[in-house]
Amino acid sequence: MGWVKGWVGKLVDVGEARTAAGRALLEERYAALLRQIPLLYVVALTNFVGLQLATDGDLVSPTSPSMILCGFVCARLLYWLRARGRRLTPEQIVRQLWKIWFNALLISLGFCLWALTLLKVGNPQYEGHILLFGTLAGVGCAYGLSSFPGAARLPLVFLALPLAVRLFLSPQPAHFGMGVSIILIILLILHLLHVHHLAFTELVRSRSEIAEGRERALRAERLAKAAKSKAKRVADTDPLTGLPNRRAFLRALGKNVAALERGGGGFALAMLDLDGFKPVNDTFGHGTGDRLLERIGERLSSGMGGGAMIARTGGDEFAMILPGVGTAEAAEAAGAAICVALKRPYVIEGREFRISGCCGVTLLTRDDCDVEQALIRADTALYRAKEGGRAGVAVFSEEMHVMHRRRAAVEKALRLPETQDRIGLVFQPITDLATGELRAFEALARWEDDTLGRIAPDQFIPIAEQISVIQELSQRLLAKAAVQAGRWADSVKLSFNLSAVQLCTAGSSEQILTVLDQARLSPHRLQVEVTETALLADFEAARDNLSTLRNAGTRIVLDDFGAGHASISYLREMQFDGVKLDGALIAGSEHSLRQRRLLKGVLDLCTAMGLPSVAEHIETEEQLALLRQLGCRDGQGYLLSRPLDADAAAEMASARLVKFQARRRAA
């Protein structure tokens, strides 16, 4: 039975429904059969009718099996006419192909038996007609099933071939020739069916491969688009808070400005800087700081509404686009709402944190919507807000506009080397409070510009740091100061302030020593003053630079001691040669018992650590007397001496005047 099943399976040749190519072959075969099978039944029916007419209807009756077979053909024809447009699954197509095969076998055998019966019992004059219509029916049906070779062979093998053999076996030479011819035609058609089957299969396979290739290309394109979209989201998203980052914010700001130029409504740009975040980050670790930033981002997103865009643009900096905000009052109210939302406490791992923020806001209108200028205005407003203390809010105004223009002019001037050369120095004496002996001169920068007028150091030094010219400017000022210090007595030191940028830049210490060498000033005559803020920028780099300077003989003084919250830790972790007390410790100490106790405690700490102390901003005799009483060694301030120009400082620093000043103070 196995060989029979194998032969039948090969004969049916229905394809493989479990593979994509097999399913495609089944679908194409079924689609072709939908077009061809009605023609098959028409051919079969035509030959039935032709045979009936050729035999004058004498050989059959309405109830004969042949007429039943004819009725069956008509029914199947109607079925296939109604089946057009119907879509089947591959499994349903396989079942339908088996039905087609079975019906083709049934019709072929039925027609063959009918024809052979007619030949046996009929009038011999009808023999040619019977053979003609029978073989035509077999060939026509084979063509109608050509898309299904397994079924197309059936009319040839079970209908046309028996009739051809009947002719081949006939004693009449003409019938013998016709039989041979028909057999050859059957063999040719079988070969053509095989060739057609191979071509059809190859065509379907090629189409399937093309379709699969197109699908793979489309899938790859979709994946590429998805990957590109994901990469874009990653590139435009802050990984910590999930908010847009600076890049995405600037692009969105540009789009809003473009819409505004086309006639859209005005909006506001807000910059937010957190107050008190750095101590949390330093004290409780970056993990806690990161979670705190996440909560802040969530609160800003939920509190600003769907129309606003909030982005994290830096460590603890955020920026916002506020649509529909068109007046200064509305902008200030929006900024205040942001600050109020931030003030509510945050609970992280059982700890409660309170963070505030300062907000600077600027309005953008159709007549004033330059992106770069808007960012500068918002930053200027933020700077003004921070001047007002924690949780401050400021809206950019004309007054700030004037300040902004001046700042831009200062920035432009500072970038010019000739301007840096024009920035001069004055020297304020640092003296022994007990003896009056001159210890050192602190070099202080002074800038008097022909156009801008007098510009205070607390204005141009921060700008120089922000535009990255402070390193070059400090080098120039140190070179000038070192030349002047060469005119002083060897016992008088030069005190020079190092900026955070200079202190935390690798190799700065070598550059400083090179400047001293070029001015022929010994490193032992230099003392550098550094602030806690400068050390915070990059403690390790600062420690390396200061160690190099100290090893060369330079004194290291911690400036503004008592102004920060972590100065004592720096005294423990880094070796200093002295400390300079912050002026806030001195101011009002002569009138406040609490202030005096605080001042005494700081001085006692310096004494306990063996560090000489310097008091600055001494302005009254009472302050001087109190500092002497509390044991402060050195001091400076307007009471002792205002800053002097280079010649006056050189005169004071001469050996004779140093001794004279000391004797006068002692008296």
Side-chain angles (χ1 to χ4, degrees):
M1 292 297 294
W3 67 271
V4 175
K5 184 177 181 181
W7 181 82
V8 173
K10 183 177 180 181
L11 187 66
V12 175
D13 192 17
V14 295
E16 176 57 70
R18 290 191 296 272
T19 65
R23 288 192 293 271
L25 179 61
L26 286 174
E27 291 170 356
E28 289 288 341
R29 178 168 291 157
Y30 182 70
L33 290 173
L34 281 175
R35 296 188 299 270
Q36 295 172 350
I37 285 183
L39 179 61
L40 177 153
Y41 285 120
V42 169
V43 169
L45 191 60
T46 300
N47 282 278
F48 279 145
V49 174
L51 186 58
Q52 180 77 0
L53 294 175
T55 58
D56 295 329
D58 296 337
L59 304 179
V60 294
S61 65
T63 59
S64 66
S66 59
M67 293 305 295
I68 295 174
L69 182 63
C70 186
F72 175 75
V73 170
C74 291
R76 296 303 297 172
L77 173 61
L78 293 175
Y79 171 83
W80 281 99
L81 290 175
R82 295 173 59 186
R84 290 187 175 186
R86 184 173 58 184
R87 297 184 62 86
L88 302 179
T89 65
E91 291 74 15
Q92 291 173 326
I93 292 175
V94 170
R95 290 194 293 269
Q96 192 66 257
L97 290 177
W98 276 102
K99 292 179 182 179
I100 292 172
W101 182 88
F102 178 78
N103 290 333
L105 178 63
L106 180 64
I107 293 172
S108 299
L109 290 174
F111 203 129
C112 181
L113 292 175
W114 180 35
L116 292 175
T117 301
L118 289 175
L119 289 173
K120 183 176 181 181
V121 302
N123 193 331
Q125 65 177 343
Y126 298 143
E127 183 175 348
H129 300 124
I130 295 169
L131 293 173
L132 173 65
F133 285 113
T135 54
L136 287 176
V139 173
C141 291
Y143 174 77
L145 294 169
S146 59
S147 297
F148 186 10
R153 300 185 190 106
L154 298 177
L156 295 173
V157 173
F158 294 104
L159 175 56
L161 185 60
L163 296 179
V165 171
R166 174 73 169 73
L167 287 171
F168 179 79
L169 297 177
S170 173
Q172 300 181 29
H175 287 182
F176 173 79
M178 292 173 58
V180 172
S181 178
I182 293 173
I183 290 172
L184 292 176
I185 291 173
I186 291 172
L187 293 175
L188 176 62
I189 293 175
L190 287 172
H191 175 70
L192 292 177
L193 285 174
H194 176 69
V195 173
H196 174 76
H197 168 66
L198 294 178
F200 183 80
T201 303
E202 180 62 23
L203 176 63
V204 173
R205 185 189 64 80
S206 299
R207 287 180 180 176
S208 178
E209 289 179 354
I210 293 173
E212 288 180 5
R214 186 183 296 112
E215 180 60 29
R216 284 195 299 269
L218 292 174
R219 187 163 56 248
E221 183 180 0
R222 289 193 296 269
L223 290 174
K225 288 181 178 179
K228 183 178 179 180
S229 177
K230 181 179 179 181
K232 184 177 181 297
R233 288 196 303 273
V234 171
D236 291 345
T237 303
D238 172 52
L240 180 60
T241 62
L243 296 173
N245 57 17
R246 182 176 182 83
R247 170 182 167 178
F249 179 78
L250 291 177
R251 186 167 59 251
L253 181 59
K255 290 181 179 178
N256 278 265
V257 166
L260 184 58
E261 291 174 340
R262 293 193 298 267
F267 62 95
L269 168 64
M271 296 288 190
L272 177 68
D273 193 53
L274 300 180
D275 303 321
F277 174 74
K278 184 170 179 54
V280 173
N281 207 40
D282 292 342
T283 304
F284 297 97
H286 293 291
T288 299
D290 289 348
R291 284 188 286 276
L292 181 56
L293 286 174
E294 290 176 14
R295 301 285 182 83
I296 291 171
E298 292 171 0
R299 185 171 295 181
L300 289 173
S301 298
S302 61
M304 297 308 300
M309 179 185 183
I310 302 98
R312 183 186 176 212
T313 56
D316 59 351
E317 300 172 356
F318 296 83
M320 283 151 279
I321 297 174
L322 308 176
V325 177
T327 65
E329 293 76 13
E332 186 171 4
I338 294 170
C339 294
V340 169
L342 287 178
K343 280 186 175 181
R344 298 198 307 273
Y346 303 83
V347 178
I348 300 174
E349 296 180 352
R351 295 190 182 97
E352 184 177 287
F353 298 94
R354 294 184 179 273
I355 295 292
S356 60
C358 290
C359 187
V361 190
T362 186
L363 298 174
L364 285 88
T365 62
R366 190 173 184 181
D367 298 327
D368 189 9
C369 57
D370 182 84
V371 171
E372 185 174 352
Q373 291 301 315
L375 291 169
I376 293 174
R377 293 200 307 268
D379 193 56
T380 302
L382 176 60
Y383 182 79
R384 174 61 62 88
K386 293 169 73 172
E387 287 180 343
R390 296 170 69 92
V393 178
V395 180
F396 188 82
S397 63
E398 185 58 34
E399 177 191 355
M400 294 183 199
H401 191 53
V402 174
M403 182 179 71
H404 167 61
R405 286 203 304 266
R406 178 174 174 81
R407 174 190 166 88
V410 169
E411 179 180 324
K412 182 178 179 181
L414 279 174
R415 295 183 185 276
L416 303 175
E418 54 269 26
T419 300
Q420 297 179 21
D421 284 334
R422 288 197 297 269
I423 297 177
L425 291 168
V426 294
F427 303 90
Q428 187 171 36
I430 300 174
T431 60
D432 186 314
L433 296 183
T435 66
E437 180 181 357
L438 181 63
R439 298 277 192 187
F441 279 110
E442 180 180 2
L444 303 172
R446 292 293 184 266
W447 183 11
E448 189 80 28
D449 190 83
D450 295 339
T451 304
L452 299 172
R454 179 174 296 177
I455 306 168
D458 60 357
Q459 294 179 7
F460 71 81
I461 294 296
I463 295 176
E465 290 179 336
Q466 292 172 12
I467 65 175
S468 302
V469 300
I470 189 65
Q471 180 90 346
E472 182 181 357
L473 178 60
S474 293
Q475 294 287 82
R476 292 173 183 269
L477 293 176
L478 178 59
K480 293 179 182 180
V483 170
Q484 295 301 321
R487 303 168 59 189
W488 308 337
D490 290 345
S491 61
V492 180
K493 295 185 179 296
L494 168 64
S495 189
F496 192 84
N497 291 278
L498 294 185
S499 71
V501 174
Q502 193 173 18
L503 181 62
C504 299
T505 300
S508 287
S509 54
E510 287 80 3
Q511 294 176 359
I512 292 172
L513 293 174
T514 299
V515 170
L516 296 180
D517 183 63
Q518 292 173 348
R520 297 182 180 179
L521 184 72
S522 170
H524 293 81
R525 294 193 57 200
L526 176 68
Q527 68 178 30
V528 294
E529 299 183 11
V530 297
T531 64
E532 175 192 345
T533 304
L535 294 171
L536 280 170
D538 189 339
F539 181 74
E540 293 302 325
R543 178 157 56 185
D544 290 343
N545 279 320
L546 293 179
S547 296
T548 301
L549 291 175
R550 197 168 191 279
N551 291 335
T554 299
R555 295 182 78 248
I556 311 298
V557 176
L558 180 60
D559 195 9
D560 294 337
F561 184 70
H565 61 274
S567 297
I568 295 177
S569 66
Y570 291 122
L571 290 177
R572 182 182 66 250
E573 296 182 21
M574 188 178 294
Q575 192 169 2
F576 292 96
D577 300 296
V579 295
K580 180 178 282 189
L581 307 184
D582 185 67
L585 291 172
I586 314 301
S589 58
E590 69 273 32
H591 305 301
S592 170
L593 177 61
R594 183 175 180 275
Q595 190 78 359
R596 286 198 299 274
R597 287 176 176 173
L598 178 60
L599 177 60
K600 182 178 184 304
V602 173
L603 289 170
D604 288 344
L605 174 63
C606 294
T607 301
M609 299 190 71
L611 296 175
S613 55
V614 181
E616 59 181 356
H617 302 313
I618 303 174
E619 298 178 352
T620 67
E621 292 289 350
E622 291 81 0
Q623 291 174 352
L624 177 60
L626 178 61
L627 289 167
R628 284 172 173 169
Q629 177 186 344
L630 296 178
C632 183
R633 195 185 80 168
D634 300 328
Q636 65 184 109
Y638 278 17
L639 176 67
L640 303 176
S641 174
R642 287 180 174 272
L644 307 173
D645 61 27
D647 292 337
E651 184 179 356
M652 178 181 283
S654 67
R656 182 178 59 81
L657 284 180
V658 170
K659 294 179 181 178
F660 173 77
Q661 291 283 351
R663 286 197 301 271
R664 191 178 71 174
R665 288 295 181 191

